[in-house]
Coordinates of all heavy atoms in Angstrom, one line a residue:
L1 N 42.7 61.4 -4.6 CA 41.8 62.1 -5.4 C 42.5 63.0 -6.4 O 42.1 63.4 -7.4 CB 40.8 62.9 -4.6 CG 40.0 62.1 -3.5 CD1 39.2 63.1 -2.7 CD2 39.1 61.1 -4.2
V2 N 43.8 63.4 -5.9 CA 44.7 64.2 -6.7 C 46.0 63.5 -6.8 O 46.4 62.7 -6.0 CB 44.8 65.6 -6.2 CG1 43.4 66.3 -6.0 CG2 45.5 65.6 -4.8
D3 N 46.8 63.9 -7.8 CA 48.1 63.3 -8.0 C 49.1 64.1 -7.1 O 48.7 65.0 -6.4 CB 48.5 63.2 -9.4 CG 48.6 64.5 -10.1 OD1 48.8 65.6 -9.5 OD2 48.5 64.5 -11.4
I4 N 50.4 63.7 -7.2 CA 51.4 64.4 -6.4 C 51.6 65.8 -6.8 O 52.3 66.6 -6.1 CB 52.7 63.6 -6.3 CG1 53.3 63.5 -7.7 CG2 52.5 62.3 -5.7 CD1 54.7 62.9 -7.7
R5 N 51.1 66.2 -8.0 CA 51.2 67.6 -8.4 C 49.9 68.4 -8.2 O 49.7 69.4 -8.8 CB 51.6 67.7 -9.9 CG 53.1 67.1 -10.1 CD 53.4 67.0 -11.6 NE 54.7 66.4 -11.7 CZ 55.1 65.1 -11.7 NH1 54.1 64.3 -11.4 NH2 56.3 64.7 -11.8
D6 N 49.0 67.8 -7.5 CA 47.7 68.5 -7.0 C 46.7 68.5 -8.2 O 45.7 69.2 -8.1 CB 48.0 69.9 -6.5 CG 46.8 70.4 -5.8 OD1 46.4 69.8 -4.8 OD2 46.3 71.5 -6.2
R7 N 46.9 67.7 -9.2 CA 45.9 67.7 -10.3 C 44.8 66.6 -10.0 O 45.2 65.4 -9.8 CB 46.6 67.4 -11.6 CG 47.6 68.4 -12.1 CD 48.4 68.0 -13.2 NE 49.2 66.8 -12.9 CZ 50.1 66.3 -13.8 NH1 50.2 66.8 -15.0 NH2 50.7 65.2 -13.4
P8 N 43.6 66.9 -10.0 CA 42.5 66.0 -9.7 C 42.4 64.9 -10.7 O 42.6 65.1 -11.9 CB 41.2 66.8 -9.7 CG 41.7 68.2 -9.4 CD 43.0 68.3 -10.1
Y9 N 42.1 63.7 -10.3 CA 41.7 62.6 -11.2 C 40.2 62.8 -11.5 O 39.4 62.4 -10.7 CB 42.0 61.2 -10.5 CG 43.4 60.9 -10.4 CD1 44.1 60.9 -9.2 CD2 44.2 60.5 -11.5 CE1 45.5 60.6 -9.1 CE2 45.5 60.2 -11.5 CZ 46.2 60.2 -10.2 OH 47.5 59.9 -10.1
S10 N 40.0 63.4 -12.6 CA 38.6 63.9 -12.9 C 37.6 62.7 -13.0 O 36.4 62.9 -12.8 CB 38.6 64.7 -14.2 OG 39.1 64.0 -15.3
E11 N 38.1 61.5 -13.5 CA 37.2 60.4 -13.6 C 36.6 60.0 -12.2 O 35.4 59.8 -12.0 CB 37.9 59.2 -14.2 CG 38.5 59.4 -15.5 CD 39.9 59.9 -15.5 OE1 40.4 60.4 -14.4 OE2 40.6 59.9 -16.6
L12 N 37.5 60.0 -11.2 CA 37.1 59.6 -9.9 C 36.3 60.7 -9.2 O 35.2 60.5 -8.6 CB 38.3 59.2 -9.0 CG 38.1 58.8 -7.6 CD1 37.0 57.7 -7.5 CD2 39.4 58.4 -6.9
T13 N 36.8 61.9 -9.3 CA 36.1 63.1 -8.6 C 34.8 63.3 -9.3 O 33.8 63.7 -8.6 CB 37.0 64.3 -8.6 OG1 37.3 64.7 -9.9 CG2 38.3 64.1 -7.8
G14 N 34.7 63.1 -10.6 CA 33.4 63.3 -11.3 C 32.4 62.3 -10.8 O 31.2 62.5 -10.7
A15 N 32.9 61.0 -10.7 CA 32.0 59.9 -10.2 C 31.5 60.2 -8.8 O 30.3 60.0 -8.5 CB 32.8 58.6 -10.2
A16 N 32.4 60.8 -7.9 CA 32.0 61.1 -6.6 C 30.9 62.2 -6.6 O 29.9 62.2 -5.9 CB 33.2 61.6 -5.7
A17 N 31.1 63.2 -7.4 CA 30.2 64.4 -7.5 C 28.8 63.9 -8.0 O 27.8 64.5 -7.7 CB 30.7 65.4 -8.4
A18 N 28.8 62.8 -8.8 CA 27.5 62.4 -9.4 C 26.7 61.5 -8.5 O 25.5 61.3 -8.7 CB 27.8 61.6 -10.7
L19 N 27.2 61.1 -7.3 CA 26.5 60.2 -6.4 C 25.4 61.0 -5.7 O 25.5 62.2 -5.4 CB 27.4 59.6 -5.4 CG 28.5 58.7 -5.9 CD1 29.5 58.2 -4.8 CD2 27.9 57.5 -6.6
D20 N 24.3 60.3 -5.4 CA 23.2 60.9 -4.6 C 23.0 60.0 -3.4 O 22.1 59.2 -3.3 CB 22.0 61.0 -5.4 CG 20.8 61.7 -4.7 OD1 21.0 62.1 -3.5 OD2 19.7 61.8 -5.2
L21 N 23.9 60.1 -2.4 CA 23.9 59.1 -1.3 C 22.8 59.3 -0.3 O 22.4 58.4 0.3 CB 25.3 59.2 -0.6 CG 26.5 58.8 -1.4 CD1 27.7 58.8 -0.6 CD2 26.3 57.5 -2.1
E22 N 22.2 60.6 -0.3 CA 21.1 60.8 0.6 C 19.9 59.9 0.2 O 19.1 59.4 0.9 CB 20.7 62.3 0.7 CG 21.7 63.1 1.5 CD 21.1 64.5 1.8 OE1 19.9 64.7 1.6 OE2 22.0 65.3 2.2
R23 N 19.8 59.8 -1.2 CA 18.7 59.0 -1.7 C 19.0 57.6 -1.5 O 18.1 56.7 -1.2 CB 18.5 59.3 -3.2 CG 17.4 58.5 -3.9 CD 17.3 58.8 -5.3 NE 18.6 58.6 -6.0 CZ 18.9 57.4 -6.4 NH1 18.2 56.3 -6.2 NH2 20.1 57.2 -7.0
V24 N 20.2 57.2 -1.7 CA 20.6 55.8 -1.7 C 20.7 55.2 -0.3 O 20.3 54.1 0.0 CB 22.0 55.6 -2.3 CG1 22.6 54.2 -2.1 CG2 22.0 55.9 -3.8
H25 N 21.1 56.0 0.7 CA 21.4 55.5 2.0 C 20.2 54.7 2.7 O 19.1 55.2 2.8 CB 21.8 56.6 3.0 CG 22.3 56.2 4.3 ND1 23.0 55.0 4.5 CD2 22.1 56.7 5.5 CE1 23.3 54.9 5.8 NE2 22.7 55.8 6.4
G26 N 20.5 53.5 3.1 CA 19.5 52.7 3.7 C 18.4 52.2 2.8 O 17.4 51.6 3.2
G27 N 18.7 52.3 1.5 CA 17.6 51.9 0.5 C 17.5 50.4 0.4 O 16.5 50.0 -0.2
A28 N 18.4 49.6 0.9 CA 18.3 48.1 0.8 C 18.1 47.6 2.2 O 18.5 48.2 3.2 CB 19.6 47.5 0.1
A29 N 17.5 46.4 2.3 CA 17.3 45.8 3.6 C 18.7 45.7 4.2 O 19.6 45.2 3.6 CB 16.6 44.5 3.4
G30 N 18.8 45.9 5.5 CA 20.0 45.8 6.2 C 19.8 45.5 7.7 O 18.7 45.6 8.2
G31 N 20.9 45.3 8.4 CA 20.7 45.2 9.8 C 20.4 43.8 10.2 O 21.2 43.0 10.6

């Protein structure tokens, strides 16, 4: 998520922050 100098990869961390997994979780048929 960060490089060897501790700088975040903003593209990836921004994508993670934008997810709403509580809404998504289990939303498709499974099991």
Side-chain angles (χ1 to χ4, degrees):
L1 301 176
V2 303
D3 63 23
I4 60 172
R5 295 174 182 80
D6 196 57
R7 298 170 298 184
Y9 288 105
S10 58
E11 299 89 348
L12 180 53
T13 58
L19 297 176
D20 184 0
L21 296 185
E22 287 191 14
R23 179 183 60 81
V24 169
H25 184 39

